[in-house]
Amino acid sequence: MTNSTTNSTTDLMLRRLGTTGPTVTSPGLGGLTLAGAYGPVDDDAGADVVHAYLDAGGTLLDTADFYGAGRNEMLIGRVLRERRRDEVVLSVKFGALVTPTGMPSAFDGRPEAVKSSLTYSLQRLGTDHVDIYRPARLDPQVPIEETVGAVQEMAESGYVRHIGLSEVGAETIRRAAAVAPISDLQIEYSLLTRGIERNGILDACRELGIGITAYGVLGRGLIGGNATGGSRANHPRFQAENLEHNRALVARLQDIADAKGATLAQVAIAWVAAQGEDIVPIVGSRTPAQVESMIGSTAVTLDDADLTRIDELVPAGSAHGDRYPTRFMHQLDSER
């Protein structure tokens, strides 16, 4: 479907999102971490992180209007004022209704909400268009055809370049793709979360020429990071015996990382990238040093023997605990 090449100005790979989407650097930089999800990050430090990624030749910035209730978009907008707009591919999610505590309470996919949300995002980002616009979740009260149709209207008006989806199942993907070209599906995919391999989602995307932008690649810090702090305490995988089991599971990969001269995090990112040229990992970073490490993952080569060994050490479905708290799991069309 897509081809991987190397950006001449960086070690990052270039991959196209599906058959109709833009060419982006892989890995992409996720904005949730800079919105304080896993601990505070001040805006100056956050701007340094985004600049570090772009200075290294990165192009793909992933954000959402509800990351920090608009704060992350404003941070990216601040950075964009110092860059050329055409150097950046902006992927923006919308639709989450948040409470004053910052937690999503519901999702609004009505056409009028689509247009209003986009208007505010354009203002905060300081741009006249976003490159990929996607509903963060399926609104169960609104047919996906209506939501995607509204985004398509915005594309026809020049405010959106490509349409994406997020955390939806195979049937919803097919219905959306019948309305408008879909560039990519954003969904959690990692060594610890491999549901798309068995529930028809990955097959549907490949059949339809839709790319995958994979988030949660490091298991929210379980792989090679500090698995504490922020919202993680509410996630089943970080609680009691589950956390102990999952840490031990990940530790099995240390010998492979050592043999590659890499970190566990770099092996995990490389594993996701190795699952197909149609897959782009999205990785959050809180410091320029973490950006450098993320980019270093592209130097990690995993051959067939490595991939087989990794599957033996961390089999699909071996992580303990759901990937979200129960009430959020119920909001995922991809889990139905």
Side-chain angles (χ1 to χ4, degrees), residues 13-276:
M13 293 181 288
L14 292 175
R15 290 185 167 180
R16 187 177 181 187
L17 295 180
T19 56
T20 65
T23 297
V24 300
T25 51
S26 175
L29 181 66
L32 180 61
T33 302
L34 298 178
Y38 305 131
V41 179
D42 68 51
D43 286 346
D44 288 342
D48 288 344
V49 169
V50 180
H51 277 301
Y53 176 72
L54 298 176
D55 287 343
T59 62
L60 179 58
L61 300 180
D62 182 79
T63 186
D65 59 7
F66 52 90
Y67 285 178
R71 178 183 170 191
N72 190 243
E73 286 185 325
M74 289 187 284
L75 173 66
I76 291 174
R78 167 183 165 178
V79 171
L80 289 181
R81 289 195 292 272
E82 302 175 30
R83 318 291 303 205
R84 284 181 27 223
R85 174 65 181 87
D86 60 4
E87 293 178 340
V88 178
V89 177
L90 287 177
S91 172
V92 180
K93 292 181 290 296
F94 69 90
L97 303 179
V98 297
T99 66
T101 63
M103 298 301 292
S105 59
F107 296 91
D108 191 346
R110 294 172 301 141
E112 55 266 45
V114 171
K115 298 169 185 178
S116 178
S117 295
L118 177 60
T119 300
Y120 281 109
S121 285
L122 293 173
Q123 181 68 27
R124 287 187 289 261
L125 290 163
T127 184
D128 62 357
H129 73 280
V130 297
D131 298 285
I132 310 169
Y133 202 51
R134 70 181 83 243
R137 299 288 187 269
L138 177 68
D139 181 343
Q141 306 302 318
V142 179
I144 190 63
E145 290 86 351
E146 293 185 15
T147 303
V148 169
V151 181
Q152 177 68 1
E153 284 184 35
M154 295 295 93
E156 291 168 356
S157 299
Y159 299 113
V160 171
R161 296 288 186 265
H162 304 278
I163 303 171
L165 298 170
S166 178
E167 287 289 358
V168 292
E171 179 185 353
T172 302
I173 293 168
R174 295 181 189 282
R175 289 169 54 193
V179 174
I182 304 297
S183 64
D184 66 301
L185 169 72
Q186 189 168 118
I187 196 163
E188 187 168 354
Y189 186 46
S190 74
L191 280 164
L192 302 178
T193 301
R194 298 174 61 174
I196 65 171
E197 298 174 355
R198 56 178 168 72
N199 59 14
I201 290 176
L202 185 57
D203 289 342
C205 286
R206 287 178 168 166
E207 176 189 333
L208 296 167
I210 295 171
I212 298 286
T213 42
Y215 75 90
V217 172
L218 301 181
R220 297 180 179 82
L222 272 171
I223 306 175
N226 176 21
T228 60
S231 62
R232 286 175 286 211
N234 298 317
H235 289 239
R237 288 187 179 174
F238 293 85
Q239 295 173 354
E241 293 84 0
N242 288 348
L243 180 59
E244 182 178 352
H245 167 86
N246 293 332
R247 280 175 165 164
L249 192 64
V250 169
R252 298 176 185 176
L253 301 174
Q254 189 62 59
D255 287 346
I256 293 177
D258 291 344
K260 299 289 182 181
T263 65
L264 282 173
Q266 288 172 332
V267 169
I269 298 168
W271 181 88
V272 171
Q275 301 311 302

